[in-house]
Amino acid sequence: LKSAAMTKFEASMATLEPSRDPVIIARGSQTFAKLCAPCHRADAGGLVGPNLCDDYWIHGPKFSDNLATIWNGVPAKGMVTWKNSLKPAEVYDVGSYIYTLRGTHPVNPKPPENTVPVQTGPSQFE
């Protein structure tokens, strides 16, 4: 069963804006370092998971898209559904932190996901 806090958070995601509060950003940074960096790198430049610093975000560019991605995960791609282990406030904190990374320039980042060549299989000329 969903808790009232979870249901309220899901309903409010579309209208939330990223926090600029340094305390919230710091908490989000700590959560990111612990839970997200193994797949996205400490600088969020992308590893198994995508680069979170560029302007192309696979699941949408809005803050609400980011929250929904963290909340629901992307099980088909191996991303954990964090709503099962993080409180709504923690998802908001890490989402706010990640939003501060957009436009930063990590060393040797993973290319934007929309520029990665698509595997099409063998052609008739092979």
Side-chain angles (χ1 to χ4, degrees):
L1 289 175
K2 288 184 180 183
S3 72
M6 288 175 73
T7 304
K8 183 177 178 186
F9 182 71
E10 288 173 327
S12 69
M13 275 195 275
T15 61
L16 291 173
E17 293 292 326
S19 178
R20 294 186 189 340
D21 182 329
V23 172
I24 289 173
I25 302 300
R27 283 195 315 243
S29 174
Q30 291 173 340
T31 301
F32 183 89
K34 184 171 133 187
L35 301 176
C36 310
C39 293
H40 294 282
R41 289 188 354 195
D43 63 5
L47 195 58
V48 174
N51 176 352
L52 299 176
C53 303
D54 60 37
D55 289 328
Y56 180 77
W57 290 25
I58 297 167
H59 302 287
K62 298 182 291 189
F63 182 62
S64 59
D65 300 325
N66 300 327
L67 292 177
T69 301
I70 297 164
W71 187 252
N72 296 311
V74 186
K77 297 280 189 171
M79 183 174 164
V80 173
T81 302
W82 289 107
K83 68 182 171 188
N84 297 328
S85 54
L86 293 178
K87 296 175 184 165
E90 293 170 312
V91 171
Y92 178 75
D93 295 353
V94 78
S96 293
Y97 170 69
I98 289 169
Y99 220 72
T100 69
L101 301 173
R102 192 174 224 171
T104 61
H105 302 284
V107 176
N108 196 25
K110 191 173 181 179
E113 298 290 325
N114 64 335
T115 63
V116 175
V118 175
Q119 295 294 328
T120 60
S123 76
Q124 65 186 17
F125 303 106
E126 291 180 18

